[in-house]
Amino acid sequence: MVWRGPRSGAVRPLVGRSAEREAIGRLLDAVREGLGGVLVLVGEAGIGKTRLLDHAAALGAGVELARLVGVEAEQPLGYGALHRLLRPHLHRVDRLPARQRDALNTAFGLADAAPPDRYLVGLAALTVLSDVASELPLLCLVDDVHWLDRESAETLAFVARRLHADSLGLIFAARDDLGGRGLFDAMPQMQVTGLPATDARELLSLAVPGHLDTAVADRIVAGTGGNPLALVELGTNLGAEQLAGVAPVPEPLPVGRLLEEHFRQSVAALPADTRTLLQLMAAAPTDDMAVVWHAAGVLGLPAGAAVAAVDAGILNHGAGGGFRHPLIRSAVYAAASGDDRRRVHAALAAASDPARVPDRRAWHRAEAVLGTDDSAATDLDAASDWARARGGYSAQALFLSKAAELTTDPARRAERYLAAAQAHLASGDHAAVQPLLDLAVPALGQPAARARALRIRASAELFNARVDRVPAMMLDAVAELADADPRTTRELLYEAVHAAVIAGDPVYRATSGAVSEAVIAAPPEPDVPSWSPSELIEGLALRSAGSYRSSVTTIRAALARLRSAAELRNTASPFSILVSIAATEVWDIEAYAEIVSRLAAVDRAHGALYGLGLSLSDLAYTEIWNGRLAAAEALYAEADDYATAIGLTTHGDLRRGLLFAWMGREDEARAAVAMMEAVAGTYGLGLLHQLALHALCILELGRGCYDEALRHALTVYHEDAPSQANLVLPLLVEAAVRTGDRRTAALALERLEARAPLAGTPWALGLLARCRALVAEDAEAEQWYAESIDLLGRVPLAAEQARSRLLFGEWLRRRKRRSEARTHLRAAHKLFEAGGAALFAERARTELLATGETARRRVPGTRRDLTPQERQVALLAVSGLTNAEIASRLFITTSTVEFHLNKVFRKLGITSRRKIAAALDPKDTP
């Protein structure tokens, strides 16, 4: 039920709860002051969560209130609860940006479009609520969160995580078990427990109309554990003699499940027609009492059937009055017999309009079935398509699971269980996938269906367990499919290669080479669209199979094709990771930056925050290599922000190992590397292990610890995995030369000389020239250093060019050519200092001092006081975007953009966005 303003009827004084009151008061104060806030109240049934929401509503002077109660019977209806919350404000939807408007209308079944991304729906909901709050601060009170449909719960959790400066507050109330979702885990929570004895006795005395014996009061307080609802129910319903100590009180006292039994007994004492009406209300949607009364007419219930329930305190007084407490609703439904439930669901199905609410009608019809019913299963199947079209994948999975239970034919039942597993995978509920596959697989007769089941299981494995197990599972699916479906076979093989490249060797029951050989042996795919990753994956397969020359040719052609493609699409396997691996394998920084930037734009437009976060993290590497470490940090911060928004665990600074290494933040770099190694070992992520070693190489080179750098680089060299092995080759040459290990330097240079010319990019050839200079005799070294600096200056690799300048300057100084050395050392020092590469800046400074020039350490300026999000908002404002456009881009509200810009103005000492560019460091501006 959704209503605006406090609940009608008398409200008993709130006793105790000082900590909870303070928290609610602080949240309301923040909302009134223009900020946002969220609070999650967690506790057992009857512990007082609803009463605290009533208290918050009573304090809501000057604040608009909206209340929403989750209802168990509505859980299968995707976005149903969200629709109830936003229904008073749907007239505002037309003001939304086009994509948000389309997403929300589609989710609510008001438009016919492709299924929307759930986070675009979340942004639309946030924008609507923020728009309401812009007129009057808004407080949303959400009770029984554990009964919300999954899509609504995810959307409201997203909204809560994006609050900042929105005059909008949300208070959630849920039982201790939030359904295992973890959606609200990272939010401010308060565990609501029983009242202390003094407060409990006071509440009990308020509920007792006559004399209360002290010993009886103590017995009730101790026996209920201070549960407020139990105290009030006992004080109201125990006999006067029991309360006075003349007659015994019941044993045990009704608390928790026994409290529900108490409500069941109260309902059982009502007339039969009243009980049936209550069962209808418990099973029906709370926002459509017309359906309840229509169903009551189907069952022949009299108009006065509700009177006895109102008199007994089961229902609230007044028109449209609902259950007095949410726990009564669940108790009524749980207490109904199977026959009674089927009867009321049949009546509700008959009362539901199949054109307006086909999903509700199908669900009620299914709940009315005893045994199997293929006709009802068909209706559910059709309703599942309707749910999927709205982006309600959890609802789709529930409809399909129920349809499978009602299906007579074992093969058709298995297909529906399989489709339900696929829907759960799409919804992100990976834990639900395995049980459904176990039900489906034994009866799957067709190879294509069995292969699909293996593919779904492997995809779930990516999230639930180890990536290194996925390639073998995909190969099993290929073997199951045989020659039945060449296109699906290639898709399976592509996913196997992708997983194998990320996992590295060894992989479970296979090798990367074996996976790659399978791809190479497969017949070519006809009519490949320009945006397809197929050619890129074939190139990586050739690399893993040992055909390096062919792999480079294929990867370069694939990158060129993607750069010229009119459109790009992100695939189920995050495309940006493949592009980053392939582009670094052939040292193509321009293709890397361009393609991944376009993929990020696609993800941003569609609200695909998981893929967007990965794309931004991949783009951060391009900023690191270009010496823009603050820009890289901003990208990581944005990626982390989106991960938090969708409820993902970010593992601390897992992604920032290389960034911290370049920055010279040794303790943080080593902590990040330790985390990377731990996660790599747990989830079978060989690529992450290689990235960790790369970070350590940079850190030790910056510190001048060449023996350590050599040790880490040699590990990467011997593993020779795609991407990182090539990037570490110049680091290995440098470390080997500095330690006097000429043999290792020669081996690394030999591999680089074989590979870099095949790539032929300025990045590849510039690094090759640097390494040739490091091992060359004096007569040749100068030429190679100059060539390296020239080549690396042609592409956005300022940090790599500065490293070549540093090495050249060191080389010149050691040959007493101090004036020439200063030119290169000064340029290297300037870039390292400006970018924040502290260790390399110190190396350059020390060398400059040795030439006789004074170089001061940098003192960070005002711009360093900007948070990553403030800097990001500032840069977007500089680029010409409006506040609304910035908000849409960053999945925040316009009021939050204004909040950040005001802080930017204060910190930079300016009064206009036109002055931001001049106040920021030039390295940070586009």
Side-chain angles (χ1 to χ4, degrees):
M1 182 179 301
V2 178
W3 66 91
R4 300 166 79 177
R7 286 177 74 173
S8 60
V11 177
R12 197 180 305 276
L14 181 62
V15 176
R17 303 298 191 200
S18 58
E20 291 87 345
R21 292 188 199 210
E22 289 177 10
I24 291 170
R26 286 194 300 270
L27 188 147
L28 273 166
D29 288 343
V31 169
R32 291 189 180 100
E33 291 169 5
L35 300 176
V38 60
L39 178 64
V40 183
L41 303 173
V42 180
E44 66 178 1
I47 203 65
K49 304 182 297 295
T50 300
R51 183 64 189 85
L52 286 167
L53 295 184
D54 291 340
H55 173 71
L59 294 179
V63 173
E64 180 165 353
L65 299 172
R67 292 188 71 157
L68 174 68
V69 180
V71 178
E72 182 178 8
E74 295 184 28
Q75 276 193 301
L77 308 178
Y79 293 114
L82 181 69
H83 182 263
R84 288 191 281 121
L85 180 67
L86 296 185
R87 188 165 57 182
H89 312 296
L90 290 181
H91 62 282
R92 300 173 185 267
V93 172
D94 288 340
R95 307 178 193 175
L96 295 173
R99 285 190 179 274
Q100 293 181 40
R101 181 180 65 245
D102 293 345
L104 196 59
N105 281 333
T106 302
F108 290 163
L110 303 175
D112 185 14
D117 187 281
R118 73 191 79 171
Y119 304 120
L120 202 54
V121 175
L123 179 59
L126 173 62
T127 306
V128 169
L129 293 173
S130 179
D131 188 41
V132 176
S134 68
E135 299 171 2
L136 187 69
L138 176 63
L139 179 64
C140 299
L141 306 173
V142 186
D143 206 354
D144 280 352
V145 169
H146 46 280
W147 292 135
L148 295 177
D149 62 273
R150 184 181 180 90
E151 284 79 12
S152 294
E154 287 182 339
T155 301
L156 291 174
F158 176 87
V159 169
R161 286 189 290 261
R162 305 306 288 166
L163 295 181
H164 195 86
D166 307 288
S167 299
L168 173 60
L170 288 95
I171 304 180
F172 299 100
R175 295 193 188 174
D176 292 303
D177 179 11
L178 284 172
R181 295 170 177 168
L183 297 174
F184 302 88
D185 288 352
M187 299 179 194
Q189 290 194 6
M190 292 196 76
Q191 187 72 36
V192 183
T193 59
L195 291 170
T198 302
D199 293 335
R201 279 191 291 271
E202 180 183 350
L203 179 61
L204 179 61
S205 67
L206 290 172
V208 173
H211 175 66
L212 175 62
D213 180 76
T214 303
V216 172
D218 291 342
R219 167 72 186 87
I220 292 174
V221 168
T224 60
N227 183 295
L229 184 59
L231 290 167
V232 171
E233 290 298 317
L234 288 169
T236 304
N237 293 290
L238 287 178
E241 292 183 344
Q242 291 173 311
L243 292 168
V246 177
V249 296
E251 286 284 354
L253 292 173
V255 183
R257 293 187 181 277
L258 292 175
L259 187 57
E260 294 188 52
E261 179 59 30
H262 161 72
F263 287 133
R264 291 185 188 126
Q265 292 173 6
S266 300
V267 171
L270 297 172
D273 287 344
T274 302
R275 293 199 305 272
T276 301
L277 177 63
L278 293 176
Q279 291 163 2
L280 276 173
M281 294 178 66
T286 59
D287 61 343
D288 198 350
M289 284 302 295
V291 169
V292 172
W293 289 116
H294 187 176
V298 171
L299 294 175
L301 301 180
V307 173
V310 173
D311 291 342
I314 299 298
L315 297 179
N316 288 318
H317 290 271
F323 288 99
R324 176 170 58 84
H325 193 280
L327 190 57
I328 302 177
R329 172 187 290 274
S330 59
V332 167
Y333 192 77
S337 67
D339 287 341
D340 286 342
R341 288 189 195 180
R342 285 186 288 275
R343 188 160 65 99
V344 298
H345 279 293
L348 288 166
S352 299
D353 183 352
R356 187 172 66 89
V357 285
D359 52 345
R360 292 181 178 180
R361 179 181 180 277
W363 186 260
H364 286 309
R365 185 184 177 194
E367 289 290 278
V369 171
L370 177 62
T372 59
D373 185 324
D374 288 317
S375 176
T378 299
D379 279 357
L380 279 174
D381 209 325
S384 77
D385 290 336
W386 196 71
R388 179 185 56 79
R390 297 167 58 194
Y393 294 107
S394 294
Q396 179 194 13
L398 288 172
F399 285 131
L400 287 169
S401 297
K402 186 68 175 178
E405 294 173 11
L406 302 183
T407 302
T408 304
D409 178 57
R412 185 73 183 102
R413 185 189 312 129
E415 291 171 3
R416 282 172 169 154
Y417 276 132
L418 184 62
Q422 180 77 62
H424 274 306
L425 186 69
S427 78
D429 189 1
H430 306 116
V433 172
Q434 183 73 35
L436 289 171
L437 289 178
D438 291 342
L439 290 170
V441 168
L444 294 175
Q446 297 299 317
R450 293 196 297 270
R452 183 183 171 199
L454 284 165
R455 187 179 191 177
I456 293 170
R457 199 184 300 273
S459 297
E461 193 82 2
L462 281 171
F463 292 92
N464 293 335
R466 297 181 61 91
V467 176
D468 56 2
R469 293 181 176 272
V470 172
M473 298 172 74
M474 291 297 185
L475 292 181
D476 289 344
V478 169
E480 189 71 57
L481 198 58
D483 299 327
D485 188 344
R487 181 175 180 178
T488 301
T489 294
R490 292 199 70 83
E491 290 176 357
L492 291 167
L493 289 171
Y494 291 163
E495 291 177 21
V497 168
H498 190 175
V501 169
I502 294 173
D505 276 324
V507 293
Y508 179 68
R509 291 197 293 110
T511 65
S512 297
V515 175
S516 299
E517 291 290 353
V519 172
I520 295 167
E525 182 180 358
D527 303 322
V528 179
S530 58
W531 50 263
S532 170
S534 59
E535 193 174 13
L536 208 61
I537 292 174
E538 289 169 10
L540 290 172
L542 288 165
R543 166 70 163 90
S544 296
S547 182
Y548 190 84
R549 180 180 293 273
S550 297
S551 78
V552 172
T553 301
T554 304
I555 290 173
R556 290 186 63 189
L559 293 173
R561 180 174 182 159
L562 290 170
R563 292 181 76 177
S564 63
E567 65 167 333
L568 291 180
R569 301 181 185 179
N570 223 332
T571 57
S573 298
F575 202 173
S576 65
I577 295 178
L578 279 177
V579 172
S580 66
I581 293 170
T584 51
E585 180 65 21
V586 297
W587 292 284
D588 193 337
I589 189 65
E590 292 173 304
Y592 184 137
E594 179 183 335
I595 297 170
V596 176
S597 293
R598 289 180 62 189
L599 289 173
V602 170
D603 288 330
R604 197 183 296 279
H606 289 88
L609 297 191
Y610 176 70
L612 177 58
L614 292 176
S615 296
L616 295 175
S617 295
D618 289 327
L619 279 175
Y621 287 110
T622 67
E623 298 288 12
I624 291 171
W625 295 321
N626 200 24
R628 291 165 43 92
L629 302 187
E633 171 58 33
L635 287 171
Y636 282 130
E638 186 179 355
D640 285 349
D641 189 36
Y642 296 146
T644 300
I646 62 178
L648 288 181
T649 301
T650 57
H651 294 289
D653 292 319
L654 178 68
R655 314 179 199 213
R656 293 174 169 80
L658 187 62
L659 175 65
F660 289 153
W662 272 95
M663 287 180 161
R665 291 157 61 173
E666 182 178 356
D667 291 344
E668 292 163 281
R670 295 195 189 281
V673 165
M675 177 63 73
M676 293 166 78
E677 293 285 17
V679 172
T682 300
Y683 294 100
L685 299 170
L687 178 60
L688 189 59
H689 162 69
Q690 299 261 327
L691 287 166
L693 292 175
H694 184 174
L696 288 175
C697 287
I698 290 292
L699 178 67
E700 301 301 357
L701 287 176
R703 295 176 63 234
C705 299
Y706 299 109
D707 286 326
E708 288 298 302
L710 178 64
R711 180 169 65 86
H712 297 309
L714 273 172
T715 301
V716 180
Y717 173 84
H718 290 307
E719 292 176 358
D720 195 24
S723 178
Q724 297 303 305
N726 280 358
L727 293 180
V728 169
L729 282 175
L731 310 182
L732 177 58
V733 171
E734 181 180 350
V737 168
R738 293 295 195 225
T739 58
D741 188 347
R742 289 285 171 175
R743 179 178 176 278
T744 296
L747 288 173
L749 179 59
E750 182 181 359
R751 182 181 287 179
L752 189 58
E753 287 180 325
R755 295 180 177 181
L758 295 176
T761 64
W763 191 5
L765 298 177
L767 294 178
L768 175 60
R770 179 202 295 170
C771 292
R772 282 173 167 166
L774 282 166
V775 301
E777 300 296 334
D778 282 359
E780 299 176 336
E782 184 170 356
Q783 170 193 339
W784 290 124
Y785 276 126
E787 182 174 323
S788 175
I789 293 167
D790 174 60
L791 287 167
L792 294 173
R794 300 178 188 179
V795 285
L797 292 167
E800 288 291 0
Q801 187 195 43
R803 292 247 301 119
S804 290
R805 284 189 179 277
L806 173 60
L807 292 169
F808 189 23
E810 290 173 341
W811 183 89
L812 289 168
R813 187 189 68 78
R814 283 163 177 72
R815 282 150 188 81
K816 310 300 183 184
R817 297 165 60 178
R818 295 183 175 181
S819 177
E820 295 168 273
R822 288 190 195 105
T823 300
H824 294 286
L825 292 172
R826 195 180 298 124
H829 180 261
K830 180 180 179 181
L831 186 134
F832 289 140
E833 278 284 281
L839 292 177
F840 288 110
E842 182 60 19
R843 269 183 57 179
R845 191 183 76 87
T846 302
E847 290 290 328
L848 272 173
L849 290 174
T851 67
E853 178 167 320
T854 300
R856 293 179 297 176
R857 289 188 175 92
R858 178 187 174 93
V859 178
T862 305
R863 74 182 185 93
R864 294 294 182 189
D865 293 333
L866 296 181
T867 67
Q869 191 165 46
E870 289 166 359
R871 183 176 295 112
Q872 190 176 37
V873 169
L875 291 174
L876 291 174
V878 169
S879 73
L881 295 184
T882 66
N883 286 2
E885 290 168 335
I886 295 171
S888 182
R889 179 181 174 88
L890 299 181
F891 295 83
I892 53 179
T893 62
T894 53
S895 55
T896 297
V897 173
E898 292 166 3
F899 179 83
H900 286 310
L901 280 176
N902 286 334
K903 293 184 72 175
V904 168
F905 292 164
R906 288 199 302 271
K907 290 182 178 182
L908 297 183
I910 58 177
T911 57
S912 166
R913 63 197 298 149
R914 293 191 300 271
K915 299 178 180 179
I916 295 176
L920 287 173
D921 190 291
K923 289 292 295 178
D924 277 351
T925 55

